[in-house]
Amino acid sequence: MYNHTFTGKSSRSILIALCCGWLLCFCSPGGFKDQLPSPLFVDPNHHGSCDPEIVWNEATQQWYIYYTARRATVENTWLKTPIGVIVSDDLKNWTFEGYCKFDGEGGHKDEDETFWAPAIISDRGKLHMFVTYKSDTMPIQGPWGGAGAIVHYETNLNAPIEGWTKVGQMHADSLNTIDATIYKNESGFHLWFKGRVLGTKKNELYHLRSSNLYTWESEGFTDSDVFNEAKTGHNFEEAPYIFQWKNYYWLITDPHQGLLVYRSETAQDWTYVGTILKEGGKRSLDTNMARHCSVAVVQGRAFIFYHVEPWRRYDLEQKKGPERLPIFKQPTANRKSVLQVAELSYDSGRLSCNRDQVLRINEIISD
């Protein structure tokens, strides 16, 4: 783990170095111009790119990544955050397109409301987003604010940034929820999210099912290995993400100790099969554990997009007593985050990931 706290001056120096590194990567001889950059992207305003959700837009024939734009340069880092958008034709060259507008409001680097961790699916000419929302009209309740809700927004494929309109909230106000994930199979659309009843401490993995994305039925809780400390050794998980690959469904969660991986043939009975991306890598700003991911399966290969907080002092967070220093008490410079991408590997029912593997675009997308 690379543990380093830096000042604003050194922060600027690192960003300059990053730009120089990208130029060298794109322009050097010997094929480096085809190499995917590391980091893949850094938010240009508050440098807090997190929780990437990658989706293919059939109308524009482009890849979109929607991400939580944490405000890592200010003390109130995790609240009043917008959803940022980057776009690519080839998974390598990404262009920052701005921040989402919801019901015609927002689109700025500093918002009046809080939006976290978008889950997005494309269906019949529309994009559907299920995002964690906090109104922030109440007095600030600690660094994470008050209770969250999963809210459904939709937009036409040709208005993927400014066209989002509210469909409705996905649950009663009695729940405090975060981090949705959505996928489709032969039985319909499935929405999962982490939540607990207000006033209680037990978190559950909620599961809803729909045939049309507008009317939903509860599928109950999973009683398998997820959120099961006896099975995984972890008493905390968030950011569930589900995808299908290699004849299995895969569920990945974030326990702040790498990423936990679960496997299922039914997308209901999940078996814990290991941890990936816990140790930092050697690439630029990929030197700390991976956090909150999504996956794109392209031509039979699976590419995992995740965020990294290179300067976050996880070691201080794990200490006991007065020496413990949670992230909201660490310097704002420690809160900066970047987006990264790596390729998943499959072997005998398990996933692994070599984050130091060189990825070149001509090996991923054939002409």
Side-chain angles (χ1 to χ4, degrees), residues 50-79:
C50 291
D51 313 333
E53 175 81 346
I54 185 165
V55 63
W56 174 253
N57 187 315
E58 298 94 336
T60 66
Q61 292 291 292
Q62 292 173 305
W63 294 99
Y64 281 68
I65 290 179
Y66 294 81
Y67 65 93
T68 306
R70 287 184 187 167
R71 303 189 304 148
T73 60
V74 301
E75 185 61 33
N76 191 18
T77 296
W78 299 275
L79 300 176

Side-chain angles (χ1 to χ4, degrees), residues 233-288:
H234 296 275
N235 61 9
F236 173 86
E237 297 174 63
E238 62 183 7
Y241 183 81
I242 296 173
F243 68 103
Q244 191 173 16
W245 187 52
K246 297 294 185 181
N247 298 316
Y248 287 107
Y249 292 94
W250 303 93
L251 167 62
I252 299 178
T253 67
D254 180 359
H256 297 200
Q257 296 187 51
L259 300 175
L260 304 186
V261 181
Y262 303 87
R263 185 189 68 223
S264 176
E265 294 181 353
T266 64
Q268 180 64 38
D269 300 316
W270 299 100
T271 300
Y272 173 62
V273 292
T275 301
I276 60 173
L277 295 170
K278 181 177 180 179
E279 303 300 326
K282 298 177 181 178
R283 298 185 302 172
S284 175
L285 299 190
D286 198 24
T287 51
N288 216 335

